[in-house]
Amino acid sequence: MRNKAYVILSLPVYLLAACSAIPAKVSLLSQEDGSYRSIAIAASEQHSLNDSLGLAKSTCFNRQLRHIVIKTHSRLLGPPLKAAGRRGQPAELAAYVNTPVFPSLSTSNDYETDTQFRCV
């Protein structure tokens, strides 16, 4: 009976952990000069950088080559309220009113990392 109560009480914790793990979005673009761009969006800057560099590494590894990073750039996508800060209080209020109440998978607090690399 005691083990059954433990399972029932811990179930919401596991469900919450599973729901809070937001998957990263990663894209690969080939460039005209033979280089590639990997763009990753994740909940933290470190995760987006790791995902972007991981895609670069796996892309070149599949070609039996190694990757060389040409440049990388990270930025905070930012919620609408922060972007409206320069326009004054009416714009901030409008952004606050239009901000969704419930979080979604495409949150505006994500970081985007753009990495340009070449396989050699």
Side-chain angles (χ1 to χ4, degrees):
M1 180 71 178
R2 188 174 193 167
N3 288 339
K4 188 184 269 188
Y6 176 74
V7 171
I8 291 172
L9 293 175
S10 63
L11 185 60
V13 174
Y14 291 123
L15 292 175
L16 181 62
C19 293
S20 65
I22 299 172
K25 301 171 219 167
V26 184
S27 300
L28 180 68
L29 305 168
S30 60
Q31 303 294 302
E32 287 183 4
D33 63 354
S35 65
Y36 297 92
R37 284 179 55 200
S38 65
I39 301 171
I41 298 173
S44 73
E45 186 175 10
Q46 189 62 44
H47 283 119
S48 67
L49 179 62
N50 288 345
D51 292 340
S52 182
L53 292 175
L55 181 59
K57 182 178 180 178
S58 67
T59 300
C60 294
F61 183 78
N62 290 340
R63 292 168 175 76
Q64 297 179 347
L65 299 169
R66 62 184 179 92
H67 70 285
I68 295 179
V69 175
I70 299 169
K71 66 180 176 178
T72 186
H73 175 72
S74 294
R75 69 183 180 107
L76 174 65
L77 296 178
L81 190 57
K82 287 185 182 177
R86 295 177 293 245
R87 294 178 286 198
Q89 190 171 0
E92 288 179 12
L93 183 58
Y96 176 76
V97 170
N98 291 324
T99 302
V101 177
F102 298 104
S104 65
L105 287 179
S106 59
T107 178
S108 57
N109 290 325
D110 288 341
Y111 284 86
E112 177 185 77
T113 300
D114 183 351
T115 303
Q116 185 174 2
F117 66 96
R118 184 181 305 274
C119 298
V120 293

